[in-house]
């Protein structure tokens, strides 16, 4: 077991000493988990291949899955990329710093294992004040995937990070719960028209309102061999108990619950709070009321169903509109079964 240092930085006022210490640990080639406005990231110096290798090792990430480089400013974006289409500047004006990642032509500044050998690099300017302060204290970009064991739901609290990675990394920076709750929107900006590779907090509607044309990535037959975002071919967000997604209203959900009950199963329900009085199961776990709240709580609630507590989770579905697109994208990947 490695010693994992913990810092609590609920804000950054008068926290220069801690920020310098965190930057020094990163500069020495170690891995530190830190908050962003989406989920917690598992950071290392993106220009140091050995440091980046520790990210892959500690979270058990497949080597062919590239990482996002996090930077503080737009000037730093230019340090990592070759020239890119004009619409990227418009997107950055509107959404950066914020929960959006741009896939740009790489200029090779980052270590090769950050991009998994691709010619492109994912770059994001996070808006979380603690992430910004850490980046500003470092003189290098920080490569960071979500700070979970590969395959598990992404972490939205430092406690989630601890559950997965305590004793395996040099440090964890705790700044409470993250804001958006879903990972950033990933936009491929290497073509004339941008393509959304992963839906997130910045929605398709937001991007359309900003620049007009944008495409959704449609997986092709060779998706598994050459996926646009390599990470998308792996199992994701899986809770420890089978998750059944049910399309339809409360009575349809109740029918599914009753079927499992007749099989003698313990049934947990994951749904918006308004469903609680309409459904009867062994346990009801609320996702909140608005779609925004569902996004914030989803990963924490998926993690709350730990092995042995229930036999099956029955989960509500959401309209694929606004952040509902991102929520359904994650739920469909987490689900073991979908019932229409
Ligand atoms: O909100 C987020 O994006 C969080 C926080 C920590 O910033 N990070 C995150 O990273 O979700 P990760 O590694 O869990 O997901 C990154 C995704 C993966 O599916 C990866 O394959 C894709 O981005 N990706 C990274 N670089 C890429 C590239 N050059 N081309 C295509 N896809 C890329
Ligand atoms: Mg991830």
């Amino acid at each position: 077991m490695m010693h994992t240092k913990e810092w609590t930085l609920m804000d950054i006022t008068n926290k220069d000493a801690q920020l310098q210490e965190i930057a020094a640990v990163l500069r020495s080639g170690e891995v530190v988990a830190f908050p962003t406005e989406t989920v917690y990231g598992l950071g290392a110096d993106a220009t140091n291949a050995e440091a980046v290798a520790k990210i892959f090792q500690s979270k058990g990430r497949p080597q062919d899955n590239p990482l996002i480089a996090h930077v503080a400013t737009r000037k730093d974006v230019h340090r990592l990329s070759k020239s890119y289409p004009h619409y990227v500047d418009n997107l950055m004006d509107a959404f950066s710093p914020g929960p959006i990642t741009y896939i740009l032509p790489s200029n090779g500044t980052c270590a090769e294992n950050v991009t998994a050998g691709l010619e492109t690099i994912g770059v994001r300017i996070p808006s979380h004040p603690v992430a910004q302060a850490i980046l500003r204290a470092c003189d290098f970009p920080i490569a960071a995937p979500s700070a979970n064991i590969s395959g598990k739901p992404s972490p939205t609290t430092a406690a989630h990070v601890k559950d997965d990675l305590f004793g395996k990394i040099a440090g964890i920076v705790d700044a409470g719960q993250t804001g958006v709750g879903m990972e950033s929107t990933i936009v491929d900006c290497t073509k004339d028209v941008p393509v959304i590779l992963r839906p997130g907090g910045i929605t398709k509607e937001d991007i359309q309102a900003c620049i007009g044309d944008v495409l959704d990535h449609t997986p092709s037959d060779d998706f598994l061999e050459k996926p646009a975002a390599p990470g998308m071919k792996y199992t994701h967000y899986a809770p420890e108990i089978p998750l059944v997604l049910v399309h339809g209203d409360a009575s349809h959900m109740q029918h599914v619950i009753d079927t499992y009950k007749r099989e003698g199963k313990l049934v947990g329900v994951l749904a918006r709070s308004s469903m609680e009085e309409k459904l009867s199961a062994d346990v009801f776990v609320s996702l909140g009321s608005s779609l925004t709240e569902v996004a914030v709580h989803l990963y924490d609630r998926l993690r709350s169903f730990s092995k042995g507590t229930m036999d099956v989770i029955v989960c509500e579905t959401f309209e694929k509109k606004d952040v509902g697109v991102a929520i359904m994208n994650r739920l469909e990947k987490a689900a073991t079964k979908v019932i229409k």
Side-chain angles (χ1 to χ4, degrees), residues 31-267:
V31 171
V32 175
F34 65 99
T36 82
E37 70 279 21
T38 58
V39 300
Y40 276 74
L42 191 58
D45 176 354
T47 63
N48 178 342
E50 271 175 54
V52 171
K54 291 178 189 169
I55 294 178
F56 285 92
Q57 197 188 9
S58 58
K59 68 172 282 175
R61 184 174 179 103
Q63 299 286 338
D64 64 348
N65 191 1
L67 308 178
I68 296 170
H70 296 69
V71 296
T73 67
R74 278 167 75 161
K75 213 189 221 165
D76 297 329
V77 173
H78 300 145
R79 294 202 174 106
L80 304 184
S81 67
K82 294 187 193 157
S83 68
Y84 50 70
H86 182 65
Y87 62 76
V88 178
D89 284 319
N90 299 336
L91 290 173
M92 287 195 203
D93 285 341
F95 307 121
S96 294
I100 183 166
T101 297
Y102 308 98
I103 305 296
L104 305 173
S106 169
N107 70 7
T109 298
C110 287
E112 206 170 353
N113 50 355
V114 172
T115 56
L118 297 175
E119 309 262 288
T120 55
I121 183 147
V123 187
R124 180 159 108 76
I125 308 176
S127 62
H128 193 293
V130 174
Q132 272 284 331
I134 292 171
L135 285 164
R136 284 171 195 274
C138 295
D139 37 15
F140 44 81
I142 297 180
S146 49
N148 51 288
I149 295 288
S150 273
K152 288 184 62 168
S154 295
T156 53
T157 67
H160 297 158
V161 180
K162 264 177 105 164
D163 285 345
D164 283 11
L165 294 166
F166 194 79
K168 295 184 180 165
I169 57 176
I172 300 175
V173 183
D174 184 351
Q177 194 181 319
T178 59
V180 182
M182 304 258 114
E183 303 86 342
S184 62
T185 305
I186 301 182
V187 187
D188 181 351
C189 300
T190 60
K191 314 211 170 66
D192 290 343
V193 177
V195 183
I196 298 177
L197 301 183
R198 178 176 73 183
I202 304 291
T203 64
K204 184 180 185 182
E205 291 87 342
D206 294 332
I207 294 173
Q208 276 168 333
C210 173
I211 55 165
D213 269 357
V214 59
L215 298 171
D216 285 312
H217 174 66
T218 39
S220 58
D221 289 345
D222 65 354
F223 183 60
L224 286 182
E225 277 68 49
K226 268 193 340 195
M232 291 162 72
K233 72 182 176 207
Y234 297 106
T235 309
H236 269 92
Y237 319 113
E240 293 178 5
I241 299 168
L243 177 82
V244 177
L245 269 185
V246 181
H247 288 269
D249 59 9
S251 71
H252 188 45
M253 281 183 80
Q254 189 62 51
H255 173 76
V256 172
I257 294 165
D258 292 343
T259 307
Y260 285 119
K261 289 304 301 171
R262 275 197 297 277
E263 291 170 10
K265 292 195 162 129
L266 279 174
V267 185

